[in-house]
Amino acid sequence: MINAIYGKKIGMTQIFDEEDRIVPVTVIQAEPNTVCQVKTVDTDGYEAVQMGFGYIKPRRVNKPMQGHFDKQGTEPKRYLREVRVENAGEYKVGDEQTVAAFADVKKVDVTGTSKGKGFAGVMKRYGFAGGPGGHGAHFHRAPGSVGQCATPSRVFKGLRLPGHMGCDTVTVKNLEVVRIDEEQNLILVKGAVPGGKNGIVRVRMA
């Protein structure tokens, strides 16, 4: 079976459980994902299905993608993603994956792109302690020593230094599925998921 579905992070809210306790949840809108291509070992060297989701105006589709959709005989989709499966031959183009498949699922893994933070120093990026805050100190938020003197006379690879932070693919595992709304194609999971509002996320059965 296809164990994942792609959707859009709507935002966070809170609901009450059966014992009237507040539960913080993230709302994910996962419209039906349509199988746009089936990949098998014979044709592509591996087993997978290509999922398409999101509406796009026909005039917005470029020629290469339009040719791809015409060849498969499917309607154009805004986003295309692949999901690995054990036996892709069991599926055919046009099959749909909906939130109803997660009705009996207790835990999910959610993958998304984390928020971009731009260029960050070592205190923000890695949690360095930094130096004294007094006026007499000339060492406040700098990384400090980055290597030795004469030997080996270089900076080792992998040293934690200032640089670009965020925009990474992050997976949060074992999030509890609180509620499934099949009418509005919503999945409510307990806790936070990576990325900002309207970000594309993958929800996979844990």
Side-chain angles (χ1 to χ4, degrees):
M1 63 178 295
I2 302 176
N3 65 348
I5 189 171
Y6 285 87
K8 183 183 294 186
K9 176 181 175 180
I10 302 300
M12 291 196 69
T13 184
Q14 58 188 24
I15 62 174
F16 291 92
D17 62 6
E18 298 175 354
E19 300 179 2
D20 289 337
R21 294 178 301 185
I22 287 181
V23 180
V25 296
T26 300
V27 182
I28 300 173
Q29 185 175 34
E31 298 179 359
N33 289 192
T34 305
V35 176
C36 295
Q37 185 180 3
V38 177
K39 298 191 174 185
T40 61
V41 174
D42 297 333
T43 58
D44 299 275
Y46 62 98
E47 301 280 332
V49 290
Q50 186 184 77
M51 311 291 288
F53 58 100
Y55 172 76
I56 184 172
K57 295 180 180 179
R59 64 186 180 88
R60 295 288 186 184
V61 184
N62 59 28
K63 289 294 181 66
M65 293 308 300
Q66 185 63 57
H68 173 71
F69 291 121
D70 291 343
K71 181 179 179 181
Q72 301 298 327
T74 60
E75 293 184 0
K77 299 292 183 180
R78 180 173 292 275
Y79 305 104
L80 291 177
R81 298 291 189 273
E82 278 192 9
V83 177
R84 292 292 188 105
V85 293
E86 293 183 357
N87 190 1
E90 298 178 356
Y91 309 97
K92 61 181 184 296
V93 175
D95 290 348
E96 286 190 343
Q97 174 82 326
T98 65
V99 297
F102 292 77
D104 299 327
V105 177
K106 302 298 182 183
K107 302 280 187 176
V108 293
D109 300 337
V110 181
T111 302
T113 303
S114 63
K115 291 182 179 180
K117 307 293 184 182
F119 189 95
V122 289
M123 292 181 67
K124 179 175 181 177
R125 195 180 185 195
Y126 297 112
F128 280 24
H135 288 245
H138 296 279
F139 170 61
H140 298 295
R141 301 184 66 88
S145 175
V146 295
Q148 298 74 29
C149 179
T151 305
S153 297
R154 64 184 176 88
V155 177
F156 287 122
K157 286 184 178 180
L159 189 71
R160 295 178 297 175
L161 292 172
H164 183 270
M165 182 180 178
C167 291
D168 297 318
T169 300
V170 181
T171 300
V172 180
K173 296 185 176 182
N174 294 323
L175 292 177
E176 180 184 345
V177 178
V178 179
R179 186 178 300 171
I180 299 290
D181 189 340
E182 298 183 19
E183 293 184 1
Q184 302 185 51
N185 300 314
L186 299 179
I187 301 176
L188 275 63
V189 296
K190 184 178 180 180
V193 304
K197 294 180 180 179
N198 297 321
I200 301 299
V201 296
R202 183 189 71 177
V203 182
R204 184 172 59 89
M205 301 174 188

